[in-house]
Structure formats: structure tokens, C-alpha cells
Amino acid sequence: MLLTAIRGLIAHAFPILVAQLASIGMMVVDTVVLGHVSSVDLAAVAIGGGIHVAIAFALAGVLQAIGPVVAQLHGARRDGEVAGVLQQGFWLALLLALPGMLFLQFPGAVLGLSSMDGAVEAKVRDYLALLAWGLPASLCYRAFYTFCNALGKPRVLMGIGLAALGLHAVLAWGLALAGWFGTPLGVAGCAWSNVIIAWLVCFAAAAYLGLGPLGRRYQPFAAWQRPRWRAWRELLHLGVPMGVSNFIEITSFTLIALFVASLGATVVAGHRIVANLSALAYMLPLALAIATMAAVGQAIGARDWVLVRANVRAGLLLAALLSTLVGLALWLAAEPLIAVYTDDPEVRQVALGLVIYLAVCQFCDALQTIAGHVLRACRVTFVPMLVQMLCFWGVGLLVGAWLCFYWSPPLGVAGFWLAAVFGLLLAAALLLPLMRRALQALESAS
């Protein structure tokens, strides 16, 4: 059964991995394009992109509650209730977009946490203000994304993601660097491309739901429901801690760009490159974790505890092994990888000094990611949120700031990355036992 579970997770995780890499690839495109524009534009997308990702993924995290609900309904053969969950997810996505757009239009509270060059701050503000207009489309697509994964139907996400990445590469290059409309727009050109892609992707998802096989089976646009508080309460009860967890995990890396802004654009740009590599590496355990969450959720719905245990073991084994190999590959191929991002030798030097920390943390990151998603399948989300708050903010950011600025001698931005390694180790040590207890409690109660 373990081998069967491994094969099933690989088949499910591969399209997710490609879709996730395509999504992160859009940020990589921004970084590569702007790395050939100026260090100011690159620093602006490092800071602005970090803020945007933190807000967007925190809000999308709330919508991830659709996943365990739909997976358990599907496992329990209650497919007639699935479409209603998705419809309520779309209503919730539109509601969540409003505060997100407002924050991106007026980011002064966050930008005020750090002193930065005036030219960089102006570009950050313009970048975020433009990205705000794509947020409603992005959140509706995330509801669709979670729905497909929960049902074990991720192939459409791979196709949409690859098409979006290819189009974004052309648009970002043309608007930001080539100057299709006269003057190259720099970071604003990348923002415009992201907004256009967000709406095109949203329309593609709607077309698939209306005309594709999922639409024919589940009829998601038939008998459309108005917003229902009872359904929202269930989604928010699960989703708010998940959104906060997403926010904590993302900001533990992206806020580093704000905190080290006073060290100069070169340091911020070097950190941005390694943060991009980190996001790419994280996509592997994340894809396996999403597939594991769906498989475990469906098995819980079916009350098949042997299958639950097999899927958990398969997810942990695959994630640990493959992420260790990825870490080794990053360490060995650091120089050519970083050369793709920038021509600036000083930025390259900063990035090369940080890659070793990224390579070391892959194993622990994989284990804590799988454990966290299995807990989501069990509908346990609040305590994992507290664990991540302790590990990623308490250790990763607070200890990292101490190492960066106050250790003797100060470690600079490397202090944050060293603290991140210890934070991930602690998260794995706390979440794995919690996962085991949650599964035992569910099995005992059944």
C-alpha cells in the first residue's frame, strides 16, 4: 500500500509542481528582467513583491479551507455538496479582495518600518498600486485552484500555469525592458503584465468550470447560492489560521528585504535572488504536501485509516528525499544559477554567500510542510499557526534581526538566513508529533 500511495502522490503532485513552478516563475521573470534594468528596480520588486506575495497568499490561505472540506466530502461520497462549497469560496474571495486592495493602494504602514532610498520607495508604491487591480481575479482563481486539487484533478492547473508563464515572460520583457510603448516601464511594466495575466487566468478557470469535465460532473454554476453565513463560518474557522500561517511563513522571508533595506540596494537585490531560489525549491515539498492533504482528506472522509497512514508516510518519505537532493543541487550549481539573475558582481557576491543556508534548510522545510498540510486535512489549523508564529517570527525574524545587527561582529543579511534554518528545524520538531496525535485522535473517535 505504501508503494501505491507513493505512485498516487507522484501522479497528483507532478502537475501541481509544474503549476506552482509556473506561478513562482512569474516572479522569477520579474527578477530576471529587472535585474537587467537597474538595481533600484530590482530592489523595488524585492520589497514590493514580498509585500504583495505576503498579502495575496495570506488571503489565498483563507480560501485553502475549501480543500479539506471538499476532499472529505468527496471521500465520503457526498459530491452533491461540493459545488456549494466552491460557490461560497468565490463569494468569500471577492470579500477578501477588498481589504487586500486597500492595503496595496496605501502601504505606508509597512513601508514605514524601514528606511529606504526615496527612488526605491516611489517605485515600490507604484508597483503595489498597480498589482491591487489584479487581486480579485487572483483570489477567485485560488478558490478554483484549491477545488481542483482537493478532487485530485490538477492537470488543468498545469496547463493554465504554463500558458500564463509564457505570456508573462513576453509581456514583462516588452513592457519593462523593451519599451513597447516608448520608454521602458521598468517595475511598473512587470506590474501591468501581472494584472493582465491574473484576469486572463481567472477567465480561463471560469471557462473550464463551465465547459470542462468538472463542470459537467459538479455543475458549479448551476443553482447558484447567495452568500451563506453558516458555510462562511466553517471556511473561516479553518481558513483564517491557514491564512495567518501562510502570512507568517511568507513574511519570515519576504520581510527580510524590508529589514535589511538600510544595508543598501545591493544587499536587498542579492537577498531577492536567493529568496527566489528558495521559493522555487519550496515548490517541490509544497506540491507533495498539497497532494498529501488531498489524499489524506479523502481517506479521512472514507474512514480508511490504513490508507491515511500510508499516504502520510509516502508524503514524508518523498518530500524528505527529494528536497535533500534539491538542496544539494542548489549548492553545487549556485554560481551559474545566480549568473542568470544579474550582471552585477556585487549582487552576485551577496547571493552566493546566502545559498549555503538555503541548501541546508531543505530537509527540515520539507518535513514541516508535509506535517502542516496533513494537520489541515485533519481540520487542525489553530495550533500549527501558533507553532509557525513561534518558529518563523520568533526565531526566524527576531533572532535573525539580532544576528544581523547586534551579533559581534554583525552577520548582516546572513543572520536572518541562519536563524531561518533553526526556525525550520524547530517547526519540524513540533509539528510532526502534533500531526501524529491529531491522526490518532481522529482514528479513535471514528
Side-chain angles (χ1 to χ4, degrees):
M1 183 170 282
L2 178 63
L3 292 177
T4 301
I6 288 174
R7 287 194 294 268
L9 290 183
I10 291 174
H12 189 170
F14 180 75
I16 300 174
L17 175 61
V18 175
Q20 295 278 38
L21 287 174
S23 178
I24 294 298
M26 293 181 65
M27 292 188 286
V28 174
V29 166
D30 289 348
T31 302
V32 172
V33 168
L34 296 175
H36 297 282
V37 175
S38 73
S39 61
V40 172
D41 283 82
L42 187 57
V45 81
I47 297 169
I51 294 171
H52 174 256
V53 167
I55 297 300
F57 274 78
L59 297 175
V62 179
L63 299 171
Q64 286 176 352
I66 296 169
V69 175
V70 168
Q72 289 191 19
L73 288 173
H74 182 63
R77 301 182 184 276
R78 294 163 58 188
D79 285 342
E81 302 173 44
V82 163
V85 176
L86 178 61
Q87 291 172 11
Q88 296 304 314
F90 284 140
W91 283 118
L92 192 56
L94 294 175
L95 178 68
L96 292 171
L98 296 177
M101 292 179 70
L102 186 64
F103 180 87
L104 293 175
Q105 291 282 350
F106 303 98
V110 172
L111 297 182
L113 295 174
S114 175
S115 59
M116 68 184 76
D117 182 79
V120 172
E121 181 172 347
K123 287 181 178 290
V124 170
R125 288 180 179 272
D126 290 343
Y127 181 68
L128 293 176
L130 288 171
L131 288 177
W133 298 104
L135 190 59
S138 296
L139 293 180
C140 286
Y141 181 73
R142 296 310 296 189
F144 165 77
Y145 191 101
T146 303
F147 176 77
C148 291
N149 279 325
L151 294 173
K153 305 294 183 181
R155 291 186 179 275
V156 63
L157 307 174
M158 178 175 67
I160 292 175
L162 289 173
L165 175 60
L167 184 56
H168 177 61
V170 174
L171 281 176
W173 173 81
L175 296 174
L177 189 59
W180 280 357
F181 295 99
T183 305
L185 299 178
V187 71
C190 287
W192 275 115
S193 179
N194 276 282
V195 172
I196 293 168
I197 297 300
W199 284 102
L200 289 176
V201 161
C202 183
F203 292 141
Y208 181 80
L209 279 178
L211 305 173
L214 288 184
R216 291 191 294 270
R217 178 171 181 179
Y218 296 104
Q219 299 293 314
F221 295 135
W224 187 264
Q225 300 176 2
R226 293 182 179 181
R228 291 169 42 225
W229 169 245
R230 179 178 295 181
W232 281 22
R233 183 172 57 190
E234 180 182 17
L235 292 177
L236 289 170
H237 176 74
L238 290 174
V240 169
M242 292 164 70
V244 174
S245 292
N246 278 10
F247 182 76
I248 291 167
E249 191 164 1
I250 291 167
T251 54
S252 67
F253 287 95
T254 57
L255 285 181
I256 296 172
L258 269 179
F259 295 150
V260 302
S262 60
L263 301 180
T266 297
V267 171
V268 174
H271 162 73
R272 167 68 178 190
I273 290 171
V274 180
N276 260 178
L277 292 174
S278 174
L280 286 169
Y282 180 62
M283 290 304 101
L284 177 58
L286 180 59
L288 287 166
I290 292 171
T292 302
M293 181 177 70
V296 171
Q298 291 179 21
I300 289 173
R303 297 295 187 263
D304 188 340
W305 303 108
V306 175
L307 184 57
V308 167
R309 290 191 291 273
N311 280 309
V312 171
R313 290 174 186 144
L316 289 171
L317 179 63
L318 283 171
L321 176 62
L322 295 177
S323 292
T324 300
L325 294 176
V326 167
L328 181 61
L330 285 170
W331 181 54
L332 293 176
E335 289 194 20
L337 281 174
I338 291 169
V340 172
Y341 283 90
T342 182
D343 300 322
D344 190 324
E346 293 183 357
V347 174
R348 286 188 188 182
Q349 184 177 2
V350 172
L352 283 171
L354 301 177
V355 168
I356 184 60
Y357 301 103
L358 173 60
V360 168
C361 74
Q362 294 305 303
F363 178 78
C364 295
D365 199 10
L367 294 182
Q368 71 89 19
T369 300
I370 296 292
H373 280 72
V374 170
L375 285 164
R376 293 180 179 187
C378 298
R379 301 198 184 193
V380 177
T381 57
F382 183 74
V383 175
M385 177 193 73
L386 298 180
V387 169
Q388 291 181 319
M389 190 176 296
L390 167 67
C391 297
F392 297 151
W393 279 355
V395 177
L397 287 183
L398 293 181
V399 174
W402 179 64
L403 292 173
C404 175
F405 297 109
Y406 303 109
W407 182 260
S408 182
L411 297 182
V413 68
F416 281 104
W417 284 88
L418 178 60
V421 173
F422 289 113
L424 290 168
L425 177 62
L426 180 60
L430 294 175
L431 288 176
L432 286 169
L434 180 62
M435 176 196 73
R436 184 169 57 251
R437 287 195 295 271
L439 291 170
Q440 289 171 349
L442 281 176
E443 185 172 358
S444 300
S446 65

